[in-house]
Amino acid sequence: MQILLANIKKENLFANFFSKIMTKVGKNIKKIRNVKGLSQQAFADLFQLTRGNISSYEEFRAEPRIEVLVKVANYFGIPLTDFIEKDLSVNELLHYNTNLVVETEKLKMTQQLVKVPYIPALYIEDYIRQHNNEDFFHKLPHLIIPSNSKFKLIAIEIDNEENLPAELNFQTGDILFYEEVVKENIHRIIGKLGIQVNNEGIKMGIYKEKEGNITLALNNWIEYPFDINSLENKYWVAKASYKQR
């Protein structure tokens, strides 16, 4: 009898603990929606759920599966432990990395989460010297983003917005996500932001087509030639950006 009562107490303690966690998750989901201006349906669409799922989480009638918790936390840049254990404030939510903004193609949660080598401003000189060294990329920190691209991706922190085309609204500290330009995707780069990387540095501009040839144009006066077969140059096209508030 004593053993049975002890087991019941343990089960009750676990149930109470789990209930408190799910209550916080439900509250946090609702706060995230309000901060981001998302309806229950819009939030559900991000994670292949239904509006009823979101409603039941917020009203504590059901708890999300662990894979849903992980997806939500990763998507909005919230540490998983904070998401499930803390009653997050609006101020905290505003300071998490929630601004993954797609510039050229919508990245959806139906896509696979991938690890992307991240090049902070402090590492850019090293990257220029080692842009063809695969070992260099393995030693870099990584960011996790949703993407279905079958091509190589990198993320680079902007260290000087003056090097960007004037019409683009980026600033120092923003992060640009790039896809490697190869023959298979070259038809999709015209009109998009790109970079050319070689031992001399990084050149940025908009890919333009002129008289059957592609150039990388910084502005109306400065254009760089494009040669997909070059062994010296690496070309990348912007896929998405993270903008600071």
Side-chain angles (χ1 to χ4, degrees):
M1 185 68 177
Q2 289 180 339
I3 294 175
L4 178 61
L5 289 173
N7 287 336
I8 291 174
K9 288 181 179 180
K10 287 181 181 179
E11 289 177 1
N12 288 339
L13 284 172
F14 178 78
N16 290 336
F17 175 74
F18 194 72
S19 176
K20 288 180 181 179
I21 287 179
M22 289 305 104
T23 299
K24 292 184 185 298
V25 168
K27 288 181 178 179
N28 288 336
I29 287 176
K30 189 170 185 177
K31 285 180 183 177
I32 292 169
R33 284 201 308 102
N34 291 335
V35 169
K36 305 307 292 183
L38 295 169
S39 66
Q40 288 185 336
Q41 185 62 60
F43 191 95
D45 289 343
L46 290 173
F47 306 103
Q48 297 178 286
L49 300 170
T50 67
R51 189 202 64 78
N53 289 142
I54 306 307
S55 175
S56 64
Y57 300 157
E58 294 182 358
E59 295 172 8
F60 322 129
R61 291 184 285 105
E63 58 272 356
R65 299 187 307 275
I66 185 62
E67 57 264 32
V68 173
L69 294 173
V70 172
K71 283 184 178 181
V72 173
N74 284 341
Y75 186 82
F76 291 104
I78 302 171
L80 183 60
T81 52
D82 286 3
F83 181 49
I84 65 177
E85 294 180 5
K86 293 181 64 175
D87 190 356
L88 297 172
S89 67
V90 172
N91 186 58
E92 284 177 307
L93 290 172
L94 288 173
H95 285 85
Y96 287 124
N97 295 340
T98 59
N99 293 328
L100 187 61
V101 180
V102 175
E103 296 295 327
T104 58
E105 296 179 53
K106 295 290 183 182
L107 297 179
K108 300 178 181 178
M109 286 310 297
T110 54
Q111 298 171 331
Q112 186 179 10
L113 291 173
V114 296
K115 292 174 66 176
V116 179
Y118 168 51
I119 305 170
L122 290 174
Y123 290 5
I124 287 178
E125 292 298 324
D126 293 331
Y127 168 55
I128 291 170
R129 290 193 300 270
Q130 303 187 60
H131 66 280
N132 278 322
N133 180 3
E134 286 299 320
D135 289 338
F136 171 75
F137 292 97
H138 295 312
K139 297 175 183 177
L140 289 170
H142 287 75
L143 300 177
I144 299 177
I145 66 169
S147 175
N148 64 357
S149 175
K150 63 180 181 180
F151 307 107
K152 186 176 180 179
L153 300 171
I154 59 171
I156 302 178
E157 181 184 4
I158 297 173
D159 66 335
N160 186 355
E161 64 265 31
E162 294 180 1
N163 293 330
L164 286 164
E167 64 269 24
L168 297 179
N169 185 26
F170 292 110
Q171 61 182 351
T172 298
D174 291 347
I175 299 171
L176 289 170
F177 295 84
Y178 294 96
E179 178 184 87
E180 184 179 12
V181 178
V182 292
K183 292 180 180 179
E184 289 81 0
N185 65 355
I186 195 173
H187 61 285
R188 294 193 281 108
I189 69 173
I190 301 302
K192 297 179 181 179
L193 174 66
I195 58 173
Q196 175 197 73
V197 186
N198 56 35
N199 292 332
E200 296 177 359
I202 299 176
K203 298 180 176 65
M204 309 186 76
I206 304 296
Y207 288 111
K208 295 185 177 181
E209 189 171 14
K210 182 184 295 183
E211 299 177 355
N213 295 316
I214 298 175
T215 62
L216 188 63
L218 178 62
N219 51 44
N220 292 330
W221 303 278
I222 301 176
E223 293 186 359
Y224 310 109
F226 175 89
D227 181 5
I228 192 64
N229 296 312
S230 171
L231 297 177
E232 178 185 354
N233 299 319
K234 277 278 190 180
Y235 296 96
W236 302 85
V237 60
K239 295 282 290 183
S241 69
Y242 164 78
K243 292 185 177 182
Q244 296 191 92
R245 286 187 179 274

